[in-house]
Amino acid sequence: MRPIVWFLILLLLVLHQDNWFWEDQTLVFGFMPIALFYHAGVSVVAGILWFLATQFCWPANLDEEENVHSESTSRT
Amino acid sequence: MTSLIIVSVYLALLLGLGLFSSRLFRGTSKDYMLASHSIGPLLLLMSLFGTTMTAFALVGSTGEAFKEGVSVYGMLASSSGIIHSLCFFLLGVKLWGFGHRYGYKTQIQFFRDRLESDKIGLLLFPVLVGLVIPYLLIGVMASGGVINGMTQGKVVEGNVVNGTFEEGTFPAFLEQGSQGFSKDGSRGGVPRPIASFVICLVVLLYVFFGGMRGTAWANTFQTCVFMVLGIVAFWVIANNLGERAIRADQEANGVSNDTADTTVQQASLLEKISAVSANIPTERLTRSHIPKLKFFTYLLVPLSVGMFPHLFQHWLTARRASSFKLAIVAHPIFIMIVWVPCVLIGVWATTGLIHIPPPVQANPNIVLPFMVKSLAGPVLGGFLTAGILAAIMSSLDSQFLCIGTMFTEDVVVHYGGKGRFSDKQVVLLARLFIIAIVAVTYGFSLFEPRRVFTLGVWCFSGFSSLFPLIFASLYWRRLTKLGSYACVGAAVVSWITLFWKSDFARNADYTFDLVLGGMTYQMMPVAAMFTSSLTALILVSLVTRPPSEKTLAKFFS
């Protein structure tokens, strides 16, 4: 799953370029310029992908680090 | 006057919060600078978001959308949503681990250890401080502009009417602005230098007493304020402009006033904002005026957060690594919530449904306060001004604290010797440096203002050009001391050269043009800076002695 998530994040960076709506004047829902609507969508997808990254790509050794830290904090 | 009273009450509340948090101060330098690593997920999210969303996000995005159209969102907001979280994930979490393990308080302490070089501090310190100061200036200048914009009156036949203050309330050079720093005069409002001074003073006081804990609390409070009030501002402006748009349509179709009133009353919010958007000029709807390569190279600008010294300090405040998760996920969504309304307000200001007077057109920084003032009543206008100021101050505080910490830790304590100062003296020194840096920044803000957006992009570009250094120091074992010197040197030289070529940011549309095969490729200057610093880092590292095994084991085991 880890390589898939990183691939999707890379893909999102490529899709961010958005050459296809470059000169499109459409107003989505009658009020939202499509260039703005598309990039708002990019933001939402970014949130979803980063959620997946925190679930599947989180560094494993950090749990040990946290345990060590919480022990030292509780000692002080 | 109502708006001014509301803003004053808000500032007093903020001061109270800062002073209250100082009662929890444990008296140690670690607590003052890093809140004793006690910040949980929600406070971390709010403080990271509040710190990265500055005047640039609210005032700058609206102003730039007014000037350039909706493209501004793709150029900086959606890219930031991806790249800021990437930096939190790849850099922040790892640096948090090193900070906890080895007791770092500043970036320079980390670099000194990782690069086995004391002198990297001498090289980086002026560069980082030199880049943070323009960032601070953005906030200080914008706060003055916002308060002045909200309290000023209109100039009718050479006289100011409906101003908050009578003529003669302030010294003539502030009111008339014929000479010196207040070029446009105060127009019956609070003069910009005075407004900026008050904001500096409020931020200074709560940072001085509350330290990092006060800053994190104030950031959280202010982030809530500017997000909620931002949405309220959008709703009010959308309704008001929508009514104007529908009424204008009805008038154009020869409908009677009574019928037009009924139509306006019955219109839903969606119908209203659709009527407004229908009036957006074509050139503000698309990116046809932006070269595609220029848009692409804008992607490099948000990498700047990887090298922001104040974000480094915020990262270290986290209680545990998992505290980062919420910030990583929610950051892009929060950016969208703040930026989309601001960008829409900016392009709606170009519809002609509201008259934008020439002084406002000439200064995009005040488009948002002008819209708020014109379309909301004084009470709501006051609250909304407080929201804008909240966004500005939630960045200023972290930056002031960070520079104070850097002066204390990286210069005085480092060169004076750790045993020379008691912990109380270290805190005192940090506080004194914070006062000094506030004074210096305020002094700079009195000079001729630039467009917030332009100044911000130059400042971020400088930090982005140093991104290869922080990334390589965490992920490339072969990075050497001399490679890092070359990287910083290349970044500095390319930044100064291009900044000079842009006429010191006076040319807001300056691009780095590459001519290949008779074609001209226009790029953001950051592309040239980033490439030169990255190339220098790799080439010099490869031909110089690698770090010792001990250091590699310390950071890569």
Side-chain angles (χ1 to χ4, degrees), chain B residues 167 171 229 244 246 395 432 452 486 517:
Chain B
E167 191 179 342
L229 292 181
R244 292 180 185 210
I246 292 173
S395 303
L432 292 175
V452 162

Side-chain angles (χ1 to χ4, degrees), chain B residues 342-552:
Chain B
C342 287
V343 170
L344 276 175
I345 291 172
V347 289
W348 285 347
T350 64
T351 55
L353 294 167
I354 178 169
H355 172 64
I356 308 289
V360 180
Q361 288 186 30
N363 182 5
N365 298 348
I366 57 172
V367 169
L368 182 61
F370 176 80
M371 294 285 278
V372 167
K373 185 185 175 190
S374 306
L375 300 172
V379 175
L380 194 54
F383 280 115
L384 299 179
T385 308
I388 298 171
L389 292 175
I392 295 171
M393 290 190 288
S394 62
S395 303
L396 283 178
D397 51 13
S398 305
Q399 293 157 343
F400 284 142
L401 180 65
C402 162
I403 294 191
T405 304
M406 285 168 66
F407 267 115
T408 310
E409 290 290 326
D410 297 331
V411 179
V412 179
V413 174
H414 182 77
Y415 292 105
K418 274 203 169 178
R420 190 172 162 187
F421 302 99
S422 69
D423 217 35
K424 275 191 174 176
Q425 285 174 317
V426 170
V427 174
L428 178 66
L429 279 169
R431 284 174 162 164
L432 292 175
F433 280 125
I434 290 167
I435 294 175
I437 204 70
V438 173
V440 168
T441 309
Y442 177 71
F444 282 143
S445 76
L446 300 179
F447 293 102
E448 184 191 355
R450 302 270 189 279
R451 260 162 75 176
V452 162
F453 193 87
T454 311
L455 198 57
V457 168
W458 274 102
C459 172
F460 298 158
S461 298
F463 282 113
S464 297
S465 62
L466 293 171
F467 178 84
L469 179 63
I470 186 81
F471 188 82
S473 66
L474 291 171
Y475 290 98
W476 194 37
R477 297 165 67 94
R478 195 63 183 75
L479 172 69
T480 67
K481 176 173 77 174
L482 292 177
S484 66
Y485 289 176
C487 173
V488 177
V492 169
V493 170
S494 55
W495 191 92
I496 290 174
T497 308
L498 296 173
F499 190 59
W500 170 64
K501 282 194 166 187
S502 76
D503 198 14
F504 304 101
R506 281 189 190 90
N507 179 2
D509 300 318
Y510 176 77
T511 52
F512 176 76
D513 296 344
L514 190 67
V515 182
L516 281 176
M519 293 281 286
T520 302
Y521 298 94
Q522 290 183 309
M523 290 179 266
M524 289 300 291
V526 68
M529 297 175 206
F530 186 88
T531 308
S532 58
S533 66
L534 178 65
T535 309
L537 179 144
I538 294 172
L539 292 181
V540 177
S541 289
L542 288 176
V543 297
T544 50
R545 193 163 56 87
S548 68
E549 283 303 320
K550 189 182 162 197
T551 297
L552 290 177

Side-chain angles (χ1 to χ4, degrees), chain B residues 8-81:
Chain B
S8 305
V9 170
Y10 173 74
L11 294 178
L13 270 176
L14 196 58
L15 264 182
L17 184 72
L19 295 177
F20 174 73
S21 70
S22 73
R23 298 182 65 174
L24 302 174
F25 179 42
R26 298 176 192 174
T28 65
S29 60
K30 189 176 171 185
D31 195 62
Y32 189 75
M33 295 165 186
L34 300 177
S36 299
H37 306 297
S38 63
I39 302 297
L42 186 65
L43 275 183
L44 188 68
L45 162 68
M46 291 305 213
S47 50
L48 287 178
F49 181 70
T51 302
T52 48
M53 292 299 112
T54 169
F56 186 79
L58 289 181
V59 181
S61 64
T62 309
E64 198 65 12
F66 174 76
K67 279 278 181 197
E68 306 291 344
V70 295
S71 57
V72 62
Y73 188 90
M75 288 196 293
L76 274 168
S78 54
S79 55
S80 296

